[in-house]
Amino acid sequence: MKKILTVTAALLAAVAVNAQTVLKVGATPEPHAEILNLVKEDLKAAGIDLQVVEFTDYVTPNEAVESGDIDANYFQHIPYLNSFNKDRGYHLVNAAGIHVEPFAVYSAKIKSLKDLKKKAIVAIPNDPTNEARALLLLQEAGLITLKDGAGIEATPLDIKKNPLKLKFKEIEAASLPRVLKDVDAAVINGNYALPAGLSAKKDGLFVEGSSSPYVNIIAVKAGNENKPEIKALIKAIESEKVKDYVNKKYPNGEVVTVF
């Protein structure tokens, strides 16, 4: 009888495990994957098996959502998503805004932007929306002036005034921290600056404001944004637990929650 009860309990446990809804979410390592891993147990209690799939680029996670290989991703902002949809004919939508990672200008050679010399080399991201974001930041810093209307589609060709005759090196965003010593300055995305030990507040020579429109989002394929497991994911992330974690880990404002 005892043996039967033991077998029955094991079978029930197996059924409970199998009954869990699998939710695959792609993310870049920091802070995105870290935040997702923080809520895994909360979702498990709600019957959802959150599987975090890490990516180190900005293209593959969107391809994976569009193809259905994963259910959602968490790494990008809305201008990038809109640009990706336009270029690829994809159908990705914003399910929820989570946080902002302020862009910043960094340098291993100078302590102030005032120290930039003529024809200095400045590295910027090579993907369209982040490149434009970097140029807009450099314009805000007073280093360049863009043509009227360039906005979030700006490229170096849209630079109207460049008093220092700065030379721009377009590089994959993930590689920017690695080339920092080889250029005079670089505009680096927050989620690549962080793993490299760079703090926007401490190390940034010029930092994007907290009112930035470039909020990092949970992205899904159109039609999936109201699925119960996606709603549960968003609810788990938009919690005091996550907010407290972010505030404690990033006290210098490298990551700012928007919920």
Side-chain angles (χ1 to χ4, degrees), residues 5-6 15 30 34 40 48 69 71 73 75 99 104 109 113 119 121 143 167 189 226 228 247 259:
L5 289 173
T6 302
V15 169
E30 187 181 3
E34 290 186 353
K40 283 185 78 169
I48 297 171
D69 289 338
D71 303 293
N73 65 43
F75 76 95
H99 75 269
K109 297 181 179 179
L113 290 184
K119 297 184 179 180
I121 298 174
L143 294 174
K167 296 182 178 180
N189 306 51
N226 291 316
N247 290 338
F259 52 84

Side-chain angles (χ1 to χ4, degrees), residues 5 21 32-33 52 79 81 85 98 101 111 116 163 167 170 180 185 205-206 210-211 214 226 228 237-238 245:
L5 289 173
T21 299
H32 307 83
V52 181
L81 178 141
N85 280 338
I98 307 300
E101 296 168 21
K111 299 295 184 183
L116 270 180
K167 296 182 178 180
E170 297 164 284
L180 188 57
L205 303 185
F206 193 83
S210 60
S211 60
Y214 294 88
N226 291 316
I237 293 177
E238 293 180 340
Y245 168 82

Side-chain angles (χ1 to χ4, degrees), residues 31-54:
H32 307 83
E34 290 186 353
I35 290 173
L36 290 172
N37 284 320
L38 189 68
V39 301
K40 283 185 78 169
E41 290 303 313
D42 300 310
L43 289 171
K44 187 176 181 180
I48 297 171
D49 176 17
L50 174 61
Q51 297 180 5
V52 181
V53 183
E54 291 195 13

Side-chain angles (χ1 to χ4, degrees), residues 188-242:
I188 304 178
N189 306 51
N191 61 316
Y192 288 129
L194 291 172
L198 297 170
S199 161
K201 188 172 182 179
K202 291 182 179 179
D203 307 306
L205 303 185
F206 193 83
V207 184
E208 189 176 47
S210 60
S211 60
S212 166
Y214 294 88
V215 176
N216 280 219
I217 62 173
I218 299 292
V220 299
K221 194 166 185 177
N224 294 336
E225 58 268 35
N226 291 316
K227 280 189 172 182
E229 58 268 33
I230 297 297
K231 290 292 187 182
L233 171 67
I234 294 167
K235 182 179 179 181
I237 293 177
E238 293 180 340
S239 63
E240 288 301 315
K241 175 182 178 179
V242 169

Side-chain angles (χ1 to χ4, degrees), residues 105-108 110 113 116 121-124 180 183-187 205:
V105 182
Y106 299 93
S107 177
I110 59 174
L113 290 184
L116 270 180
I121 298 174
V122 180
I124 58 177
L180 188 57
V183 297
D184 297 294
V187 184
L205 303 185

Side-chain angles (χ1 to χ4, degrees), residues 56-58 123-127 169-183 185-189 191-193 195-196 198:
T56 57
D57 70 287
Y58 287 172
I124 58 177
N126 66 356
D127 60 278
K169 199 167 186 179
E170 297 164 284
I171 294 173
E172 184 185 1
S175 301
L176 285 167
R178 294 196 293 272
V179 305
L180 188 57
K181 292 181 180 180
D182 302 320
V183 297
V187 184
I188 304 178
N189 306 51
N191 61 316
Y192 288 129
L198 297 170

